[in-house]
Amino acid sequence: MAQITTGIRSILSMPWAYDALQGMLGVTHARKVVCEDYIRAQPGDVVVDIGCGTAEILKFLPENIRYYGFDLSQHYIDSAKRRFAARGQFQCADVTTMGSSDIPPCQVAIAFGVLHHLDDAAAYGLINSLYDRLAHGGRLITVDPVFVSGQAWVAHELIRRDRGQNVRTCEGYMDLVSERFSAKNIQARHDLLRVPYTYAVMSCTR
Ligand SMILES: C[S@@+](CC[C@H](N)C(=O)[O-])C[C@H]1O[C@@H](n2cnc3c(N)ncnc32)[C@H](O)[C@@H]1O
């Protein structure tokens, strides 16, 4: 896994520390915007959340969806189960080893903060599996830190120090999906966190 979990960053493996840091940075606001402006899940949708973390995103998704969250961290999955047991199903899994048959057929797939943890081979494999399980007209929404020219120096430095070892440019993220998805777009957003930071929000329709 291309993710640094040692040293000071090991603290983030504790769900409370991870959620607290995200709250301070404004990731809660980012999730709200992404849910409202990009994900736009509809009642009855099956929503697959890859690398769901502690499933905080459920706060901004409709109640009447069927939600499946997958994450590598048993601690995060346990936290999600404690807080959102009635809202979905949560499974500890390494998404790089999941095949299509491990993913429920779905209308919406989310990978919020995941692709930058995966090298190209793992990311291609995951995107292929998700594409295969998306309904026609179904959508994949990804959100990741991105390097763009002209971004604030602080944003660049924060992103450079991320636990994920595969932060890409907008073109790099688009390259991952271009073989399977003909309808896709990407936006670099500098306004989603309280601190200078740049996220790439990519929307792909099957
Ligand atoms: C930046 S966090 C985002 C979590 C969540 N999506 C959110 O928005 O709060 C990235 C998540 O991806 C998970 N992750 C990284 N590599 C993974 C893998 N190979 N399989 C499953 N989950 C993975 C991490 O455990 C972590 O919870």
Side-chain angles (χ1 to χ4, degrees):
M1 178 198 32
Q3 172 173 275
I4 298 176
T5 53
T6 53
I8 186 101
R9 283 174 271 208
S10 66
I11 297 169
L12 295 178
S13 63
M14 290 181 263
W16 64 266
Y18 177 76
D19 286 341
L21 177 67
Q22 297 230 316
M24 279 190 300
L25 294 175
V27 180
T28 306
H29 169 73
R31 287 194 196 100
K32 182 172 188 289
V33 171
V34 168
C35 284
E36 290 174 355
D37 294 355
Y38 299 92
I39 295 175
R40 300 190 306 273
Q42 300 299 308
D45 279 352
V46 176
V47 176
V48 168
D49 189 1
I50 295 294
C52 63
T54 54
E56 283 283 298
I57 202 164
L58 273 168
K59 292 178 178 168
F60 305 109
L61 291 173
E63 295 271 344
N64 44 3
I65 57 169
R66 274 192 290 148
Y67 174 94
Y68 296 85
F70 299 91
D71 201 278
L72 192 59
S73 161
Q74 187 67 58
H75 291 306
Y76 291 173
I77 290 295
D78 290 344
S79 167
K81 282 181 177 167
R82 271 196 303 277
R83 287 184 300 163
F84 299 111
R87 298 284 313 275
Q89 294 182 38
F90 310 94
Q91 190 182 322
C92 185
D94 182 347
V95 298
T96 63
T97 62
M98 285 168 72
S100 300
S101 59
D102 301 313
I103 298 170
C106 54
Q107 280 74 40
V108 179
I110 305 167
F112 194 128
V114 177
L115 291 181
H116 73 285
H117 289 288
L118 307 184
D119 63 25
D120 283 359
Y124 283 130
L126 174 64
I127 284 159
N128 270 329
S129 298
L130 290 172
Y131 180 89
D132 288 342
R133 300 307 266 172
L134 274 174
H136 288 281
R139 287 171 307 114
L140 165 66
I141 309 298
T142 72
V143 183
D144 286 280
V146 64
F147 292 124
V148 292
S149 60
Q151 76 194 129
W153 175 82
V154 175
H156 189 274
E157 288 305 303
L158 286 174
I159 290 168
R160 207 168 58 78
R161 288 169 170 74
D162 194 279
R163 286 187 296 171
Q165 293 300 288
N166 294 280
V167 176
R168 299 171 173 88
T169 60
C170 282
E171 294 73 25
Y173 288 117
M174 288 289 264
D175 282 348
L176 296 176
V177 298
S178 59
E179 259 187 36
R180 298 307 301 270
F181 289 92
S182 49
K184 67 239 173 215
N185 67 72
I186 194 161
Q187 285 182 332
R189 298 278 307 243
H190 304 276
D191 58 345
L192 294 181
L193 293 192
R194 286 204 187 99
V195 295
Y197 203 81
T198 318
Y199 276 122
V201 185
M202 186 161 64
S203 308
C204 316
T205 305
R206 175 168 177 170

